[in-house]
Amino acid sequence: MWGIYLSLTGLLVLLTLLPKIQNSHWIFRVSEFGKIQITYVVLITFILGFLLDQPQHIWYSQSLLLLLFIHHGVTLVKYTPLYPVKRHKRQHESSQKLHFISANVYQFNKEYERFIQLIKKYKPEVFMTMESNGDWEQALKVLEKDYPFQHKVTLENTYGMHFYSKLEIESAQTHYFVADDIPSIEIHLKTEDGFSFVFFGVHPPPPSPTEEETSKERDGDLLSAAKRVKEIHEPVIVVGDFNNVAWSKSSILFRKTSHLIDPRIGLSFVSTFHAKYRLLRFPIDLMFHSEDIFINELKTLENFGSDHLPVYCEFFIDHHNDEQEERVQEATQEEKAEVEEMIQEGKEEDGNRDEVVTEG
């Protein structure tokens, strides 16, 4: 038991230190995703230490575990209701309540009807699918009567994106920031009560042993999107499968560069992946919004056969309410220089994907 305790302690120290090393290889980035699980294991190992026949030096390792728990806890507590964040009520000048669903459908998932029923059940004004290919596009045609406005980027390499809306699309654009097969979509919408806003969808590739060796393309794509979002002078929502966690360095740089707010802070993790394994679930389907977007509800919905849970959000727009501006953080000059370097590295990285793209 003593050997297991020491091995766990050593492993937890290693997993904590690896993300501190500024290397984009997946080995250094992957433990960022498991910070919640690592914190639980730290606590369990710490408790285990009290159950052992205490060797002379156990308090050194116990103190180290306590420091690890505090280190992770200081970050994670921000994404719980324990972290104080002022909530703002809807003003009379604001829009009506709006709703969206964002879902990585998993390209090889054939349970189309379960997703269609999910949309019919919650009736969002807009919804976006990721990893949607030609088969998914064909299956979702039954919803086009209720969602007459669409923007489609059909790929067969797990990076397709489809957007459906009951609201009028004033303009739509597909961006390819770092590679010609990794799309981001920019949709300008107008509500029935006259409010304009922008829905920005992203889905960069993850650093992993089975996909991209490094996080360069992911980070470059996300930070390019952040720079574009900063140029938009309307209320904006950015949502999608970020293949990233909110507390990673690149996510923080994204938030600061785009001047957006992370609604998870003071709320909850809203963990989405893996849908089938609750104890191994990470919050990688993220959302950020400008100061004139106010979130009433942000949560996951039931599984429809994908490896991701869908994200559901209820929000409203308020042009005359600037109380959230204090939550917007800006990048320093040093961080801005780092962002430019990461974008350039992302563009230079050569991803290993089959290029099959059509748009509609």
Side-chain angles (χ1 to χ4, degrees), residues 30 48 86 195 197 219 222 256 287 289 298 305:
V30 71
L48 176 64
K86 186 177 180 182
F195 285 78
F197 73 101
D219 297 342
L222 290 176
K256 289 183 175 182
M287 174 199 172
H289 63 87
L298 181 66

Side-chain angles (χ1 to χ4, degrees), residues 79-98:
Y79 301 91
T80 73
L82 298 176
Y83 191 76
V85 172
K86 186 177 180 182
R87 303 296 177 190
H88 303 284
K89 295 182 178 179
R90 183 155 59 103
Q91 306 296 318
H92 67 277
E93 301 95 343
S94 68
S95 72
Q96 296 299 309
K97 291 179 182 178
L98 299 165

